[in-house]
Structure formats: structure tokens, C-alpha cells
Amino acid sequence: MFVDESKEGGYLVTAAALLSGDLTSARQALKSLVLPGQRRLHFTNENDGRRKRILDTIAELRPTVKIYDASAHHRRRQREACLNVLIEDLSSTGTRMLVLETDESIVTLDRKTLYRAVRRYGCEDVLEYRHLRAFEEPLLAIPDALAWCWQRGGHWKSRVREMVDEVRTV
């Protein structure tokens, strides 16, 4: 499970899951889209033609995608609320790895939240979680791209709507 957040126009956490047997080929597919001079794909920085190509590649990977919307919560509780519900959902799926994009300003809070949540939902022996930078884990480009499109709305949201399996308000 690969997770990124979006704070523009509301607070969303987008989670994209791939089967473990598909990870190597999925990483290669996304790495192949990184241009010379780029360290990683970052959807905000891409032009529309590249965005379409990236979305085509993501669609071929067929991730399972869930968006958690905590926009109704107080700003300080939004991420915590999303992570708690995400862990609750993951506890019943047997997911073994959760990768969150590193944001140094919230890593400590994330670790506390995740520590409590995996124990609350009984998956501490199954679920491992890591914070990585997007250039360290190419698959973080998936939730980054889908969150951007969802928040942008219009034809971008329409373009990814069928890739999103569920939107959950938390």
C-alpha cells in the first residue's frame, strides 16, 4: 500500500495497493517515465501530455485505490483520522507493507498514530510501515497523481474516477 496526502481544496489521503508480485514491474514502468534531470515523478510539475502518459501507465498497473477524505475534521486531526481508518481497513486485508511519503514535519506524529492504530486493530505482527521519499519509492507516484487529479476536478477527476475503488469520508 502506497500513500500520499493532498491538502489543496480539502484534506485527502490517497492509498494505492498493488500485489507484491507486481511491484518490480510496476516500479520499472514508473521509473521509465522519469525524464533526464528528474529525481522522481511529481504530478504537479508535469505538463498535460506527460500527465496523460503517466495516468495511462498507472491505469495499466491496475492498483486498488481508496481515497480517505477528512476535510470535515479540524486541521490538526485530519491526517490522524485518515491514518486510523486506513489501518482499520488494512487490518482486515492482510496487507503486509504500508509506505507513506515522508514529510519530516509529521513523521513523529505519524509514528505515534500508526503505533497505536496497528495495536488497536491487531495487525502489529503483520503490517510493517515505512516513511520514504518519493525518489526512493517510485510507486508513491501513483497516489500522488491520483490525488492531484481528484483534487483538481473537472476532466482530470473524470479521467481517474474509474481507477478509484472507494472514497471514504472519515
Side-chain angles (χ1 to χ4, degrees), residues 91 94-97 115 117-129:
S91 70
T95 299
R96 299 183 53 87
M97 177 60 66
Y115 179 85
V118 297
R119 278 147 189 77
R120 180 180 311 119
Y121 297 110
C123 56
E124 68 271 16
D125 294 333
V126 177
L127 181 63
E128 181 182 338
Y129 49 87

Side-chain angles (χ1 to χ4, degrees), residues 55-158:
L55 291 174
D56 287 344
T57 300
I58 291 171
E60 289 173 14
L61 299 176
R62 303 180 62 139
T64 301
V65 178
K66 190 179 277 193
I67 295 175
Y68 297 86
D69 185 343
S71 300
H73 284 269
H74 185 275
R75 187 178 183 108
R76 293 179 188 242
R77 295 244 329 117
Q78 290 173 325
R79 185 169 176 91
E80 182 180 357
C82 287
L83 292 181
N84 274 311
V85 175
L86 171 64
I87 297 301
E88 180 183 14
D89 288 351
L90 294 180
S91 70
S92 64
T93 65
T95 299
R96 299 183 53 87
M97 177 60 66
L98 172 62
V99 179
L100 302 104
E101 184 168 359
T102 299
D103 177 342
E104 295 299 332
S105 67
I106 57 175
V107 168
T108 301
L109 177 61
D110 275 5
R111 286 187 180 138
K112 288 177 185 176
T113 301
L114 294 166
Y115 179 85
R116 285 191 301 260
V118 297
R119 278 147 189 77
R120 180 180 311 119
Y121 297 110
C123 56
E124 68 271 16
D125 294 333
V126 177
L127 181 63
E128 181 182 338
Y129 49 87
R130 296 182 188 160
H131 286 86
L132 295 173
R133 291 177 180 84
F135 70 86
E136 296 172 312
E137 177 49 81
L139 297 176
L140 287 167
I142 297 171
D144 174 68
L146 297 177
W148 185 93
C149 291
W150 199 264
Q151 291 285 50
R152 184 62 115 192
H155 74 278
W156 291 109
K157 187 173 183 176
S158 297

Side-chain angles (χ1 to χ4, degrees), residues 20 40 117:
S20 58
R40 67 179 186 116

